[in-house]
Amino acid sequence: AVERTLSMIKPDAVAKNVIGEIYSRFEKAGLRIVASKMVQLSAEDAGKFYAVHKERPFYKDLCDFMCSGPIMAQVLEGENAIAKNREVMGATNPKEAAAGTIRADFADSIDANAVHGSDAAETAAQEIAFFFNAFELCDRP
Ligand code: CMP
């Protein structure tokens, strides 16, 4: 089925100036960008976005990192977009990411791991709504 998923290019990859290279990976995988913006998250924003990880030991470092510089948020659309985006990103830990994936090529560590992608349909809907309103989501048949 055609799905939408929320993707972020994290501060490390924005700082490396590889936004275009990462967008190209999405497009080559058949994913269409239907919304996009650069934003600087506040500590409060990051805390809310990652609230599901509140009890995890990496929560504070993750939130600090995510508001350390601007990020790109985008909505990707396509057949099986959620799984496809996760395939293109590679494993969370870049040391385990398959060759040719975004994280294998651009990530430095499990925290500074270049990209985020929604993990399921329900979280995708929540994460898309966190960044974008109806006017910012475009139809690209
Ligand atoms: P992301 O897909 O953005 O979702 C949560 C983030 O927490 C994850 O990517 C990693 O960057 C970060 N993180 C740090 N340590 C861990 C860990 N041990 N397990 C999972 N995620 C981690």
Side-chain angles (χ1 to χ4, degrees):
V2 173
E3 295 172 338
R4 285 179 170 180
T5 188
L6 190 278
S7 161
M8 291 189 284
I9 300 181
K10 297 188 180 186
D12 58 317
V14 172
K16 283 183 182 166
N17 211 23
V18 292
I19 295 167
E21 289 191 53
I22 293 174
Y23 272 25
S24 176
R25 305 281 179 108
F26 297 147
E27 292 179 340
K28 283 182 182 135
L31 295 165
R32 299 180 293 280
I33 295 162
V34 298
S36 172
K37 62 169 78 155
M38 182 176 279
V39 289
Q40 169 72 59
L41 295 176
S42 67
E44 194 189 343
D45 296 328
K48 273 189 203 152
F49 185 87
Y50 281 115
V52 292
H53 294 307
K54 217 179 180 86
E55 307 305 325
R56 309 286 289 275
F58 56 80
Y59 178 70
K60 191 184 178 299
D61 283 351
L62 173 64
C63 292
D64 287 348
F65 173 65
M66 289 303 291
C67 55
S68 67
I71 61 133
M72 284 298 298
Q74 48 280 329
V75 177
L76 307 177
E77 181 183 81
E79 195 64 29
N80 297 318
I82 297 167
K84 192 170 282 177
N85 181 41
R86 293 178 72 80
E87 203 178 296
V88 171
M89 290 194 296
T92 305
N93 185 344
K95 285 179 193 148
E96 292 161 13
T101 60
I102 293 170
R103 284 168 171 157
D105 292 340
F106 301 115
D108 298 321
S109 68
I110 195 164
D111 292 304
N113 67 349
V115 279
H116 166 87
S118 307
D119 63 0
E122 197 188 345
T123 43
Q126 290 165 359
E127 291 178 0
I128 290 169
F130 183 90
F131 283 106
F132 298 100
N133 65 39
F135 298 103
E136 296 171 312
L137 290 156
C138 295
D139 285 323
R140 292 191 53 192

